[in-house]
Amino acid sequence: MRLRRSRHCGSGASTAATAMTGRQIDFLPDDCDPTVRTVTDYWAGLPATALGVPLRSDFDPVALPARVLPHIWMVDLEREPRRFRFRLCGSHLVRALGFDPTGRYYDEVFPDFAGTETFAALVRVRDTAEGSWRSGDPNLVFPNHDIRLLERAFLPLTTDGKRVDIALAVSVYRSRSLANR
Protein backbone atom coordinates (compact mmCIF):
# COMPACT_ATOMS: atom_id res chain seq x y z
CA MET A 1 0.00 0.00 0.00
CA ARG A 2 1.31 3.44 -0.87
CA LEU A 3 0.23 6.29 1.38
CA ARG A 4 -0.40 9.55 -0.43
CA ARG A 5 1.34 12.72 0.62
CA SER A 6 -0.91 15.49 1.92
CA ARG A 7 -0.67 19.07 0.72
CA HIS A 8 1.02 20.08 3.99
CA CYS A 9 4.14 17.97 3.73
CA GLY A 10 7.36 17.49 1.88
CA SER A 11 8.94 14.44 0.33
CA GLY A 12 10.61 11.54 2.02
CA ALA A 13 10.03 7.89 2.84
CA SER A 14 11.15 5.37 5.38
CA THR A 15 12.83 2.48 3.62
CA ALA A 16 12.97 0.40 6.81
CA ALA A 17 9.20 0.55 7.23
CA THR A 18 8.65 -0.15 3.54
CA ALA A 19 10.86 -3.23 3.65
CA MET A 20 8.92 -4.60 6.64
CA THR A 21 5.36 -4.13 5.42
CA GLY A 22 5.27 -2.90 1.84
CA ARG A 23 3.66 0.33 3.10
CA GLN A 24 5.57 3.36 1.97
CA ILE A 25 5.19 6.38 4.23
CA ASP A 26 5.97 9.07 1.72
CA PHE A 27 3.70 11.59 3.43
CA LEU A 28 6.46 12.48 5.93
CA PRO A 29 9.24 14.90 4.99
CA ASP A 30 12.82 13.77 5.54
CA ASP A 31 13.29 16.45 8.22
CA CYS A 32 10.16 15.71 10.25
CA ASP A 33 10.39 15.66 14.03
CA PRO A 34 12.13 12.50 15.34
CA THR A 35 9.16 11.74 17.62
CA VAL A 36 6.76 11.82 14.68
CA ARG A 37 9.16 9.67 12.62
CA THR A 38 9.57 7.08 15.39
CA VAL A 39 5.84 6.55 15.88
CA THR A 40 5.11 6.55 12.14
CA ASP A 41 7.89 4.06 11.40
CA TYR A 42 6.56 1.79 14.16
CA TRP A 43 2.99 2.04 12.77
CA ALA A 44 4.24 1.28 9.24
CA GLY A 45 5.99 -1.82 10.53
CA LEU A 46 2.81 -3.32 12.00
CA PRO A 47 1.09 -6.11 10.04
CA ALA A 48 -1.56 -4.82 7.65
CA THR A 49 -5.09 -6.12 7.34
CA ALA A 50 -6.79 -6.63 3.95
CA LEU A 51 -7.83 -2.99 4.34
CA GLY A 52 -4.12 -2.09 4.22
CA VAL A 53 -3.90 -0.69 7.75
CA PRO A 54 -2.93 -2.25 11.08
CA LEU A 55 -5.36 -3.57 13.64
CA ARG A 56 -5.68 -1.49 16.80
CA SER A 57 -4.94 -4.65 18.78
CA ASP A 58 -1.50 -4.90 17.08
CA PHE A 59 -0.51 -1.45 18.32
CA ASP A 60 1.50 -1.93 21.52
CA PRO A 61 2.76 1.32 23.05
CA VAL A 62 5.21 -0.62 25.21
CA ALA A 63 7.15 -1.39 22.00
CA LEU A 64 7.87 2.32 21.54
CA PRO A 65 10.58 4.34 23.31
CA ALA A 66 9.24 5.91 26.52
CA ARG A 67 10.17 9.40 25.28
CA VAL A 68 7.46 9.30 22.56
CA LEU A 69 4.57 8.06 24.72
CA PRO A 70 3.47 11.52 25.98
CA HIS A 71 3.05 12.57 22.32
CA ILE A 72 0.66 9.75 21.38
CA TRP A 73 -3.11 10.04 21.35
CA MET A 74 -6.04 8.31 19.63
CA VAL A 75 -9.25 9.50 18.04
CA ASP A 76 -12.42 7.46 17.49
CA LEU A 77 -13.63 8.11 13.94
CA GLU A 78 -17.43 7.81 13.96
CA ARG A 79 -19.36 7.71 10.70
CA GLU A 80 -23.00 8.39 11.55
CA PRO A 81 -23.16 10.97 12.82
CA ARG A 82 -19.78 12.12 11.53
CA ARG A 83 -18.01 12.94 14.79
CA PHE A 84 -14.58 12.44 16.28
CA ARG A 85 -13.94 11.61 19.93
CA PHE A 86 -10.72 11.79 21.93
CA ARG A 87 -10.16 8.14 22.87
CA LEU A 88 -6.80 8.49 24.59
CA CYS A 89 -4.66 11.58 25.20
CA GLY A 90 -0.96 11.70 25.99
CA SER A 91 0.33 14.18 28.54
CA HIS A 92 1.91 16.41 25.86
CA LEU A 93 -1.54 17.09 24.34
CA VAL A 94 -3.13 17.47 27.77
CA ARG A 95 -0.53 20.13 28.71
CA ALA A 96 -1.09 21.97 25.43
CA LEU A 97 -4.86 22.02 25.93
CA GLY A 98 -4.71 22.74 29.64
CA PHE A 99 -7.12 19.86 30.41
CA ASP A 100 -7.68 16.20 29.54
CA PRO A 101 -10.30 15.83 26.77
CA THR A 102 -10.38 12.01 26.89
CA GLY A 103 -13.91 10.80 26.13
CA ARG A 104 -15.08 14.15 24.76
CA TYR A 105 -15.96 14.95 21.16
CA TYR A 106 -13.87 17.44 19.22
CA ASP A 107 -16.92 19.62 18.54
CA GLU A 108 -17.54 19.87 22.30
CA VAL A 109 -13.97 21.07 22.86
CA PHE A 110 -13.65 23.20 19.70
CA PRO A 111 -17.08 24.65 18.68
CA ASP A 112 -15.94 25.54 15.12
CA PHE A 113 -14.21 22.22 14.59
CA ALA A 114 -16.15 21.16 11.45
CA GLY A 115 -14.50 23.94 9.43
CA THR A 116 -10.92 23.15 10.41
CA GLU A 117 -8.07 21.43 8.61
CA THR A 118 -7.97 18.89 11.44
CA PHE A 119 -11.58 17.88 10.72
CA ALA A 120 -10.78 17.50 7.01
CA ALA A 121 -7.64 15.47 7.79
CA LEU A 122 -9.55 13.08 10.06
CA VAL A 123 -12.24 12.61 7.40
CA ARG A 124 -9.51 11.83 4.80
CA VAL A 125 -7.78 9.35 7.11
CA ARG A 126 -11.09 7.61 7.86
CA ASP A 127 -12.34 7.55 4.27
CA THR A 128 -9.10 6.79 2.40
CA ALA A 129 -7.18 4.67 4.96
CA GLU A 130 -4.16 6.89 4.28
CA GLY A 131 -1.92 8.63 6.77
CA SER A 132 -1.70 12.39 7.08
CA TRP A 133 1.06 14.77 8.21
CA ARG A 134 0.94 18.48 8.92
CA SER A 135 3.22 21.15 10.33
CA GLY A 136 2.42 24.78 11.04
CA ASP A 137 0.03 26.93 13.03
CA PRO A 138 -2.13 24.76 15.33
CA ASN A 139 -5.30 26.41 13.83
CA LEU A 140 -7.31 25.47 16.91
CA VAL A 141 -7.45 27.71 19.97
CA PHE A 142 -5.24 26.41 22.76
CA PRO A 143 -5.34 27.87 26.27
CA ASN A 144 -1.54 27.96 26.17
CA HIS A 145 -1.27 30.86 23.73
CA ASP A 146 2.50 30.47 23.63
CA ILE A 147 2.09 27.45 21.29
CA ARG A 148 3.07 28.58 17.82
CA LEU A 149 3.97 25.42 15.96
CA LEU A 150 2.39 22.02 15.63
CA GLU A 151 3.72 18.94 13.89
CA ARG A 152 1.25 16.09 13.72
CA ALA A 153 0.59 12.78 11.98
CA PHE A 154 -2.71 10.89 11.87
CA LEU A 155 -2.29 7.17 11.16
CA PRO A 156 -5.26 4.89 10.38
CA LEU A 157 -6.10 1.86 12.52
CA THR A 158 -8.99 -0.59 12.37
CA THR A 159 -10.68 -2.63 15.08
CA ASP A 160 -12.43 -5.05 12.71
CA GLY A 161 -10.27 -5.10 9.55
CA LYS A 162 -13.18 -3.71 7.49
CA ARG A 163 -13.06 0.05 8.06
CA VAL A 164 -10.84 2.69 9.59
CA ASP A 165 -12.36 3.62 12.93
CA ILE A 166 -9.41 4.93 14.94
CA ALA A 167 -6.69 7.44 14.16
CA LEU A 168 -3.43 6.95 15.96
CA ALA A 169 -2.02 10.43 16.39
CA VAL A 170 1.38 11.76 17.30
CA SER A 171 1.93 15.45 17.89
CA VAL A 172 4.67 17.82 18.92
CA TYR A 173 3.78 21.33 20.07
CA ARG A 174 6.41 24.04 20.28
CA SER A 175 6.23 27.33 22.08
CA ARG A 176 7.00 30.65 20.44
CA SER A 177 10.52 30.65 21.90
CA LEU A 178 11.29 27.14 20.62
CA ALA A 179 9.67 27.74 17.19
CA ASN A 180 12.08 30.60 16.52
CA ARG A 181 15.20 28.46 17.03
Side-chain angles (χ1 to χ4, degrees):
M1 172 179 195
R2 186 175 176 89
L3 299 174
R4 189 175 59 211
R5 186 177 303 143
S6 80
R7 65 183 175 87
H8 297 286
C9 67
S11 62
S14 170
T15 54
T18 301
M20 293 182 347
T21 66
R23 277 193 305 261
Q24 188 170 353
I25 50 173
D26 67 350
F27 58 91
L28 285 183
D30 292 333
D31 63 347
C32 75
D33 186 272
T35 297
V36 174
R37 173 66 67 192
T38 298
V39 174
T40 304
D41 282 350
Y42 170 76
W43 167 85
L46 294 173
T49 62
L51 182 62
V53 303
L55 285 167
R56 162 58 186 99
S57 60
D58 286 334
F59 173 72
D60 180 6
V62 175
L64 288 162
R67 69 176 172 75
V68 305
L69 297 179
H71 299 270
I72 294 173
W73 41 295
M74 291 185 174
V75 180
D76 288 327
L77 309 175
E78 298 180 6
R79 293 183 183 276
E80 294 299 327
R82 186 165 64 173
R83 292 182 83 189
F84 306 109
R85 186 168 47 96
F86 290 97
R87 178 186 189 95
L88 168 84
C89 297
S91 59
H92 187 67
L93 175 64
V94 170
R95 272 193 310 276
L97 289 173
F99 66 95
D100 186 352
T102 300
R104 295 182 62 192
Y105 285 96
Y106 265 83
D107 58 1
E108 294 171 351
V109 176
F110 304 107
D112 297 327
F113 176 65
T116 67
E117 184 282 333
T118 303
F119 179 87
L122 288 169
V123 169
R124 280 191 310 273
V125 168
R126 185 196 64 200
D127 294 349
T128 66
E130 295 178 347
S132 168
W133 175 88
R134 177 183 178 295
S135 180
D137 183 346
N139 290 332
L140 297 171
V141 176
F142 285 81
N144 179 353
H145 296 290
D146 191 41
I147 293 175
R148 294 295 179 250
L149 183 66
L150 152 80
E151 185 169 342
R152 181 251 304 136
F154 285 135
L155 309 165
L157 295 173
T158 178
T159 57
D160 62 8
K162 298 175 184 169
R163 63 189 182 129
V164 173
D165 52 4
I166 298 175
L168 170 63
V170 54
S171 60
V172 176
Y173 298 98
R174 292 187 182 83
S175 67
R176 180 181 331 175
S177 57
L178 293 175
N180 291 329
R181 289 184 184 174

